[in-house]
Amino acid sequence: MKKIILACSAGMSTSILVSKMKKEAAARSIELNIEAIPESTIKEELEGMTDPVIAILLGPQVRMRKKPVTEIAAPYGIPVDVIDTLAYGRGNGAAVLDQAFKLAGEKL
């Protein structure tokens, strides 16, 4: 199953957004694993991944980590971006799911 990773400081602030994204994916009949993790564990997560990760989205509060995370994800061919601040603040799971698919080049 394909996977989207949302990463923030501790993996907690993105967990609410993950639930909304999962509900939206289910409403669209898309099988997808969406997970919130601390940004500091991305390297270990990718080294041990079992599901193909199609995108990594960073919480706005860790936007300054985009370059290092992009470098970590590059050998795996995984695109990285910062979650749209407005969608994040509103908890708009549909918009963030769309952002992830667009980033990954996946068709909805």
Side-chain angles (χ1 to χ4, degrees), residues 27-96:
R28 297 182 192 184
S29 300
I30 299 171
E31 287 191 29
L32 195 61
N33 183 6
I34 306 169
E35 187 175 322
I37 64 170
E39 174 274 326
S40 61
T41 65
I42 288 174
K43 184 176 181 180
E44 293 80 14
E45 181 72 24
L46 296 181
E47 288 172 349
M49 71 178 165
T50 54
D51 292 329
V53 177
I54 62 167
I56 297 173
L57 294 173
L58 302 174
Q61 70 275 34
V62 293
R63 72 175 51 248
M64 70 292 218
R65 297 287 301 149
K66 182 179 177 186
K67 184 178 179 185
V69 172
T70 299
E71 290 169 0
I72 291 168
Y76 301 94
I78 302 167
V80 177
D81 202 1
V82 176
I83 300 170
D84 176 80
T85 305
L86 191 57
Y88 182 85
R90 292 183 174 170
N92 187 336
V96 178

